[in-house]
Amino acid sequence: MGQQETVATSLADTVREGIGAALAQVDADLARRYPGDPGTRQPVHTVYVPGDAFAADTLRSWGDQALAALDAHAPDAGALAAVLGIPDALAADVHDRVRAKLVREPIEDLRIDFEDGYGARPDAEEDAAAARAAALVAAAYENGTAAPYMGIRMKCMEAAVRDRGIRTLDIFLTGLMEAGGLPGGLVLTLPKVTYAEQVTAMVRLLEAFEKARGLESGRIGFEIQIETTQSILGADGRATVARMIEAAEGRATSLHYGTFDYSASCGVSAAHQSLDHPVADHAKAVMQVAAAGTGVRLSDGSTNVLPVGTTDRVHEAWRLHHGLVSRSLARAYYQGWDMHPAHLPTRYAAVYAFYRGGLEQAAARLAAYVAKAGGDVMDEPATAKALSGYLLRGLDCGAVDIAEVARLTGLTRADLNALAGRPTATDA
């Protein structure tokens, strides 16, 4: 008793060592290509504002307009619940949290648009707008009025607009550097990507800027906008998205689906271009599989049906938007685009109902997993990772509070980060 028994084996140690040596390159490749979640906050949406319309008060103005729409068309919890079908048990909390969010942080991610939302302008005019955007973004971070994430969408790498896009990006980044440096929440978007080589060109461009300004190599990342058929299926019949992520050499931060350009490129008529069209679902499924495990986030697109006009028309647009956002969340697209201030109430209502509606069940399952308790569901480590990630996303956007998560699970935020596989704890 107390002595370890010897068990019989048949293979020599050299067999195991040989297999390890044979798979060493595979191990390294897996670690490089699939690092997992970056451990940072992902915004629930991106708001696009044309370069000439962006102003110092844009964020507050959008919040005020969103509050005005909420007060005019759903002034209390019962009204909001009736319009959107939110369960009565969640209605008051969701309404209160939406209102508080619109006061505190109406926009989580802002993109100043120099592409489709801005169009072709004289060079001097776009130069001035890009320099102005840099000054306003720098000032916002300096005085504490910035969104958590801010940046620009440049023109694409196609020949007709390539030089203009590069110049606008140079002016914007240079302006930020001259104003004190690149903010931590800087985000850049490269639109209408068709070939992986265009992503490589963006990498070389950013490398050149970093070298010119003495920045650490790899400091500047960017989003890839998926809005052409070639970005999903190349001319050679091969899937393209994974090749684009690889071409980004670790700089790709997310993939954004472009609803209307992609739908149009597939021949979908204008009346049927939507986030829930089959061509959209196919493209987003390809994006999802390509990005899984890489640390590259996903963002859905937008609806162009605006909540304006009579209360009946606003309610109709709100129901559409709320339904599309809820659908995206269920399909693990945790971010999307919002095109109008009156989209913000339904964005946050859908997001908050999603996280608050599943809070108790997710917390109970996670607590049982940690305690190795029984129950009617037996979860595995991968599910525990997803459950903790779900709670962290709810915390990040303000849908839930750390005190109630701790009460329901007995876990700290650091515990949740560890279970979710986030390498760092962040409240950003």
Side-chain angles (χ1 to χ4, degrees):
M1 296 293 292
Q3 294 183 347
Q4 185 174 356
E5 294 184 9
T6 301
V7 296
T9 62
S10 301
L11 298 176
D13 288 345
T14 54
V15 175
R16 172 181 50 79
E17 292 165 357
I19 290 175
L23 291 178
Q25 184 57 48
V26 171
D27 295 340
D29 202 47
L30 282 170
R32 179 181 66 84
R33 293 176 185 269
Y34 302 104
D37 191 277
T40 55
R41 172 184 178 180
Q42 180 180 10
V44 302
H45 70 166
T46 301
V47 164
Y48 277 73
V49 177
D52 57 338
F54 177 61
D57 66 345
T58 292
L59 277 77
R60 187 63 266 152
S61 174
W62 271 62
D64 290 343
Q65 291 179 67
L67 284 166
L70 185 64
D71 290 342
H73 305 293
D76 55 46
L80 187 67
V83 174
L84 303 180
I86 297 172
D88 291 341
L90 298 176
D93 205 4
V94 167
H95 187 273
D96 290 348
R97 286 175 183 269
V98 168
R99 218 178 184 292
K101 179 74 168 181
L102 296 176
V103 171
R104 182 183 74 255
E105 188 183 72
I107 295 176
E108 294 195 359
D109 183 27
L110 178 73
R111 206 69 70 251
I112 305 163
D113 192 15
F114 287 94
E115 203 231 356
D116 284 350
Y118 185 77
R121 309 287 181 95
D123 283 339
E125 183 178 342
E126 185 161 340
D127 283 356
R132 176 175 166 273
L136 289 171
V137 169
Y141 277 103
E142 177 67 24
N143 63 31
T145 61
Y149 300 96
M150 297 181 75
I152 66 167
R153 177 170 71 167
M154 60 190 282
K155 289 177 171 63
C156 70
M157 285 291 181
E158 293 176 358
V161 295
R162 182 186 303 139
D163 288 350
R164 180 63 260 180
I166 291 172
R167 180 171 175 82
T168 296
L169 180 64
D170 187 8
I171 292 170
F172 179 72
L173 293 177
T174 299
L176 291 176
M177 291 298 297
E178 295 294 319
L182 304 182
L186 175 68
V187 188
L188 306 174
T189 305
L190 179 66
K192 292 183 175 60
V193 181
T194 52
Y195 280 73
E197 288 80 1
Q198 293 168 329
V199 175
T200 299
M202 183 69 166
V203 172
R204 301 287 90 84
L205 176 62
L206 296 177
E207 283 179 342
F209 186 88
E210 289 164 349
K211 184 176 181 180
R213 300 299 306 210
L215 295 170
E216 178 185 0
S217 178
R219 164 64 181 85
I220 309 172
F222 60 97
E223 302 169 335
I224 301 171
Q225 202 155 7
I226 305 298
E227 49 186 341
T228 68
T229 55
Q230 295 92 338
S231 61
I232 296 298
L233 189 68
D236 57 3
R238 296 167 62 192
T240 318
V241 182
R243 295 170 61 196
M244 290 179 176
I245 293 174
E246 179 73 6
E249 299 177 18
R251 293 179 186 262
T253 56
S254 61
L255 304 174
H256 283 233
Y257 176 68
T259 309
F260 304 104
D261 280 292
Y262 187 85
S263 298
S265 71
C266 289
V268 179
S269 62
H272 296 284
Q273 294 173 2
S274 176
L275 298 179
D276 58 358
H277 192 281
V279 302
D281 284 341
H282 171 258
K284 289 183 286 187
V286 173
M287 292 165 60
Q288 194 167 43
V289 173
T294 66
V296 177
R297 263 75 179 265
L298 299 169
S299 176
D300 212 335
S302 63
T303 175
N304 59 0
V305 179
L306 303 184
V308 296
T310 66
T311 293
D312 286 344
R313 294 192 62 165
V314 169
H315 284 179
E316 183 179 0
W318 271 358
R319 281 189 288 269
L320 173 65
H321 185 239
H322 182 268
L324 290 171
V325 173
S326 299
R327 183 181 189 272
S328 295
L329 290 167
R331 284 160 174 76
Y333 267 76
Y334 300 114
Q335 184 177 352
W337 296 7
D338 289 325
M339 309 299 288
H340 190 275
H343 280 140
L344 301 186
T346 38
R347 167 69 59 182
Y348 291 121
V351 169
Y352 288 1
F354 177 75
Y355 290 112
R356 295 206 64 77
L359 171 61
E360 292 194 2
Q361 183 185 50
R365 287 177 65 179
L366 191 59
Y369 172 83
V370 171
K372 305 299 184 188
D376 57 358
V377 178
M378 183 169 289
D379 289 317
E380 298 187 0
T383 303
K385 183 176 181 178
L387 290 167
S388 53
Y390 171 86
L391 295 175
L392 285 165
R393 289 178 184 279
L395 288 167
D396 285 342
C397 69
V400 301
D401 303 320
I402 189 60
E404 60 185 335
V405 172
R407 175 177 57 81
L408 291 167
T409 64
L411 302 173
T412 66
R413 174 136 195 167
D415 295 330
L416 294 174
N417 274 296
L419 287 165
R422 289 191 177 189
T424 58
T426 176
D427 294 320

